[in-house]
Amino acid sequence: MRFMPRLHDTYVGQVVLVTVLLAWAVLVGLDVVMALSGEIGDLGTGNYTFGHAVAWVLYTVPRRAYTMFPTAAVIGSLMGLGQLAASSELTALRALGLSRRRLSISVAAALALLTGLMVISGETLGPWGQRQADTLKMSARTGNVAMDRYSGLWAREGNTFLYAQSGEEREQPGGKVSLQLRDVRMYELADDGRLASIAHAAIAEHLDGYWLLKNVRRTTFNERSATQTTVLGERWESELDASVLSSSLVRARNMPSHELSQNIDYRKRNGLDARDYEDQYWARWFYPLNVLALCLAAIPFAFGSLRSGGMGKRLFLGIVFAVGFWVLQTMFVRLAGAFRLDYRIAYAIPPFALLGISWLLFRRRSR
């Protein structure tokens, strides 16, 4: 069936969009208030003031909106359709010859617009805002003018293990950002597993495609002896990506998909556990499907149980749908992590199960 929007589609979509936006604003507002109250305990640490706390919360609003949108979508859809059902407008539309499928498509098309905007925001504004918030908070609390600061960083590249006592990202002239690690120790293993060398560098700075080690003191272990060399500067050709190294200290849920993919490739290449990043990576891909499944599963109730009852009943059903779905999906994801199963299966089961239930409810109410 070719979908050509008509007046009734616009009307239904407009009602649903308004109620979704209202529910969304309430949920995000509550989350913002709770986040701001949680920052009060940090006031007075360094130069961290109430103004910094407000700015920190505002920077995180895109991420909070992204997180809250699926719940707001199902609650708002139930409230909007319940409003139409209670006023018998859905019955009138059905009398005009509109099928349940047509009405469902009208709701899904309206929500697809907001879902698409949220997907884009989750890949751009959300991660950017969170990093700006963390930078602002760290700078105010520590007085550090660097963009970010790292401490106790471990990384692996092939047979070399790297440990940095501290580090920072600095903005260079021209807007370029370079990663500079301090008090770096590098442990290189031979193919048979024995320790081949230990190197200590005062500074390791990532430049265009390579690392520059400064004030390097290296101890090389031979079969029956050890030699020590000292150089002022040494070029280290390595595939260790500075952006991956920087993002390794950022929570996986705050990264865009392309950074998650880079981290997954890096960790698998070096035999490290990448499951936390795979979890968040596939969560991004299944995000639109989750919104669609939640809202479609709620639509059959608009043709029956939502005709009677007030706002409280619709709100309760929306919360039950959203909470139940997230509990079910979280359970499957945790089981996948515990038994090392494919996260794609864990994320696919709940929405497809919900779509199946929605289809059965549609058939049952159509009899």
Side-chain angles (χ1 to χ4, degrees):
M1 181 180 69
R2 191 173 181 180
F3 180 75
M4 296 295 294
R6 296 182 180 178
L7 182 61
H8 51 75
D9 297 312
T10 304
Y11 178 69
V12 172
Q14 182 180 356
V15 172
V16 171
L17 282 179
V18 169
T19 52
V20 168
L21 290 174
L22 287 174
W24 197 12
V26 171
L27 290 176
V28 175
L30 290 174
D31 192 30
V32 165
V33 170
M34 288 188 291
L36 186 59
S37 64
E39 291 298 300
I40 293 177
D42 293 333
L43 298 182
T45 304
N47 297 321
Y48 194 61
T49 64
F50 183 74
H52 289 112
V54 172
W56 180 85
V57 172
L58 291 178
Y59 271 125
T60 63
V61 166
R63 176 184 62 79
R64 300 179 190 278
Y66 177 87
T67 303
M68 291 294 180
F69 176 70
T71 304
V74 66
I75 293 176
S77 297
L78 279 170
M79 293 174 66
L81 291 173
Q83 176 183 327
L84 293 175
S87 61
S88 299
E89 290 178 273
L90 281 184
T91 303
L93 291 173
R94 291 296 312 282
L96 292 174
L98 297 179
S99 65
R100 287 183 170 89
R101 183 174 65 173
R102 176 74 184 201
L103 292 171
S104 300
I105 292 176
S106 301
V107 174
L111 291 176
L113 175 63
L114 289 179
T115 304
L117 291 175
M118 277 298 95
V119 170
I120 296 173
S121 176
E123 294 297 312
T124 54
L125 281 178
W128 175 84
Q130 187 63 49
R131 292 185 178 180
Q132 293 296 318
D134 293 340
T135 298
L136 173 70
K137 188 173 184 178
M138 180 65 69
S139 177
R141 295 180 63 181
T142 65
N144 192 343
V145 297
M147 291 179 58
D148 287 304
R149 185 171 181 83
Y150 312 110
S151 177
L153 173 66
W154 279 97
R156 177 185 176 183
E157 178 62 30
N159 290 337
T160 302
F161 293 82
L162 178 147
Y163 173 79
Q165 183 67 31
S166 63
E168 59 196 22
E169 280 185 340
R170 292 188 176 276
E171 186 171 356
Q172 304 294 340
K176 294 186 65 176
V177 176
S178 65
L179 177 62
Q180 190 177 89
L181 304 178
R182 301 180 184 277
D183 196 8
V184 178
R185 287 172 173 80
M186 302 168 63
Y187 305 89
E188 183 180 0
L189 301 181
D191 292 335
D192 57 4
R194 67 178 180 84
L195 183 62
S197 68
I198 299 176
H200 176 267
I203 293 176
E205 184 175 9
H206 187 265
L207 300 176
D208 294 331
Y210 68 94
W211 289 84
L212 179 61
L213 308 178
K214 301 179 181 179
N215 297 327
V216 184
R217 184 176 68 253
R218 174 176 281 103
T219 302
T220 304
F221 300 98
N222 303 314
E223 187 174 349
R224 295 186 178 180
S225 63
T227 58
Q228 188 175 82
T229 58
T230 303
V231 294
L232 294 178
E234 179 180 308
R235 180 175 175 138
W236 180 37
E237 299 288 351
S238 171
E239 295 181 1
L240 187 61
D241 192 341
S243 62
V244 172
L245 197 61
S246 300
S247 62
S248 65
L249 290 173
V250 179
R251 290 184 179 181
R253 69 186 181 93
N254 296 332
M255 296 181 188
S257 294
H258 71 275
E259 289 188 8
L260 289 170
S261 179
Q262 290 175 355
N263 275 274
I264 291 170
D265 293 340
Y266 160 72
R267 288 176 174 271
K268 286 185 174 181
R269 187 174 69 244
N270 290 282
L272 303 174
D273 186 9
R275 297 190 67 78
D276 288 344
Y277 297 91
E278 290 178 336
D279 178 5
Q280 295 300 321
Y281 180 76
W282 291 114
R284 299 294 178 84
W285 280 98
F286 280 93
Y287 182 90
L289 181 60
N290 290 341
V291 176
L292 176 65
L294 275 169
C295 295
L296 288 182
I299 289 175
F301 289 89
F303 298 102
S305 61
L306 292 184
R307 291 179 183 175
S308 60
M311 188 74 70
K313 180 179 180 180
R314 300 163 199 161
L315 183 62
F316 175 76
L317 280 175
I319 294 174
V320 168
F321 257 94
V323 172
F325 178 82
W326 297 123
V327 168
L328 182 65
Q329 190 169 73
T330 300
M331 181 186 70
F332 277 105
V333 171
R334 295 286 174 82
L335 288 173
F339 294 100
R340 308 192 73 81
L341 303 175
D342 194 326
Y343 279 111
R344 286 171 289 187
I345 299 176
Y347 275 107
I349 291 176
F352 280 112
L354 206 56
L355 288 173
I357 294 173
S358 176
W359 179 74
L360 291 175
L361 288 174
F362 265 109
R363 291 198 58 180
R364 182 180 176 183
R365 294 183 184 276
S366 298
R367 292 174 182 175

